[in-house]
Amino acid sequence: MIPVGFDYERPQTVDAAIALLAEHGDGATVLAGGHSLLPVMKLRLAAPEIVIDIGRLAELNYIRVDGDEVAIGAATRYRDLVISDVLAAECALLPAVARTVGDPQVRHRGTLGGAIAHADPAGDLPAAVLALDGTVVLRSPRGERKVPITEFYTGVFSSVKEPDELVVEIRVPRTGATGWAYEKFTRRSNDWAIVAVAVATMPDGATHLGLVNMGGTPLRASATEAALAEGKSIEEAAALAAEGTEPPTDSHGTPEYRNHLVTVLAKRALKTASA
Ligand SMILES: Cc1cc2nc3c(=O)[nH]c(=O)nc-3n(C[C@H](O)[C@H](O)[C@H](O)COP(=O)(O)OP(=O)(O)OC[C@H]3O[C@@H](n4cnc5c(N)ncnc54)[C@H](O)[C@@H]3O)c2cc1C
């Protein structure tokens, strides 16, 4: 299908992108990697009047240590997460998760900021950043605000981001090179997750689990986390991974199937992370 006609702007700075967003309001849409936006536009589920392309803004393409966090520019591509020496040493969960997204073409175009902003409950990176207790940095003409990712998502494809706000940075704690795991269950390699579980060992020693495709938003396995904090075994804790979730039904499985799958993946991931 061919999208509805639209105007196209490629601003040279973040400030110029934000000014365009403010000028055009609801009629404007940000383009980053385009791997979610363009299919949606081709299906005519979105018909922006103007597309603001931030995909090549060098200002938004970086990975750097900042205090006890790693700061990642929103337009940083999956491929750059995968090959980052900084992330390999400081937060190795993220490159491991990015490596599982789609195929090489998707990983060379798709961006971390696009994945976070798109708010797809089947996305891999949102659940990983949730497991890490990351922060989403938003900028608009009103200034900058930092939203904990635990408060960012409000539903399927929706978040607290206002139409005139740009995701400019994602911040994650320096969890190091070990103590993580990602178990993604797919029917074919390169597929989206039927269910996936990200495990992160936090700097204070707590174990966090982020769940993919187990509800309308990325979710934490809170009951599993609480059981681990109480000293329960991995088997006991993993058995609780579906508590509080509302997994979807689709051609890949029923909620009952996903409820079982998530306990199996949680057990595997916890064992890997603690090995
Ligand atoms: C064949 C294929 C396979 C895929 N497989 C997977 C997979 O296995 N796992 C997975 O997680 N994803 C998968 N994806 C999706 C891919 O990860 C997308 O790249 C990602 O969801 C969106 O990132 P993007 O940079 O392409 O964003 P875009 O498509 O450019 O934008 C997505 C949405 O976010 C908004 N947006 C983008 N950047 C910003 C910003 N900085 N501030 C505010 N709003 C912004 C856009 O306006 C749009 O609404 C796949 C996509 C394809 C085409």
Side-chain angles (χ1 to χ4, degrees):
M1 293 248 320
I2 298 171
V4 176
F6 56 89
D7 290 334
Y8 173 84
E9 291 277 357
R10 185 147 67 87
Q12 301 302 310
T13 64
V14 170
D15 285 347
I18 289 168
L20 280 167
L21 270 179
E23 182 186 338
H24 295 280
D26 284 349
T29 294
V30 170
L31 172 76
H35 270 67
S36 292
L37 179 63
L38 295 185
V40 166
M41 287 173 63
K42 287 181 176 179
L43 290 168
R44 302 202 170 192
L45 296 171
E49 290 157 22
I50 176 167
V51 168
I52 302 168
D53 185 352
I54 62 158
R56 280 169 279 186
L57 275 181
E59 246 183 290
L60 293 181
N61 187 354
Y62 57 85
I63 301 170
R64 54 181 172 243
V65 170
D66 185 5
D68 50 11
E69 293 179 308
V70 182
I72 306 167
T76 305
R77 298 183 193 277
Y78 295 127
R79 167 74 180 153
D80 294 321
L81 303 181
V82 170
I83 62 172
S84 164
D85 291 338
V86 172
L87 285 175
E90 303 292 352
C91 190
L93 173 64
L94 276 192
V97 174
R99 195 174 291 118
T100 73
V101 174
D103 50 38
Q105 289 95 323
V106 175
R107 294 195 291 274
H108 275 88
R109 299 294 307 177
T111 65
L112 178 60
I116 298 297
H118 191 51
D120 187 338
D124 294 290
L125 270 305
V129 175
L130 185 67
L132 289 162
D133 257 347
T135 303
V136 184
V137 184
L138 298 161
R139 205 181 297 166
S140 74
R142 297 177 298 289
E144 197 166 276
R145 63 178 177 132
K146 291 182 178 171
V147 181
I149 195 154
T150 48
E151 297 166 18
F152 187 68
Y153 293 113
T154 53
V156 181
F157 301 120
S158 57
S159 71
V160 299
K161 183 181 78 60
E162 300 289 346
D164 66 349
E165 284 183 309
L166 197 64
V167 176
V168 289
E169 189 175 86
I170 288 85
R171 300 179 70 87
V172 290
R174 294 171 66 182
T175 49
T178 57
W180 59 270
Y182 192 54
E183 286 287 338
K184 177 174 177 177
F185 193 81
T186 58
R187 292 187 63 184
R188 303 165 306 182
S189 68
N190 299 346
D191 271 355
W192 293 76
I194 297 174
V195 171
V197 177
V199 170
T201 307
M202 301 299 285
D204 66 1
T207 303
H208 289 180
L209 291 89
L211 308 181
V212 177
N213 227 354
M214 287 298 292
T217 65
L219 294 171
R220 287 272 285 277
S222 308
T224 299
E225 292 179 8
L228 290 169
E230 287 164 15
K232 298 260 169 54
S233 69
I234 284 178
E235 283 75 10
E236 289 171 305
L240 304 173
E243 267 193 27
T245 65
E246 287 185 48
T249 300
D250 59 24
S251 57
H252 297 303
T254 60
E256 293 73 27
Y257 173 71
R258 286 188 160 89
N259 281 341
H260 173 69
L261 185 54
V262 77
T263 63
V264 174
L265 298 179
K267 185 164 80 177
R268 282 186 199 158
L270 286 168
K271 285 191 169 169
T272 303
S274 63

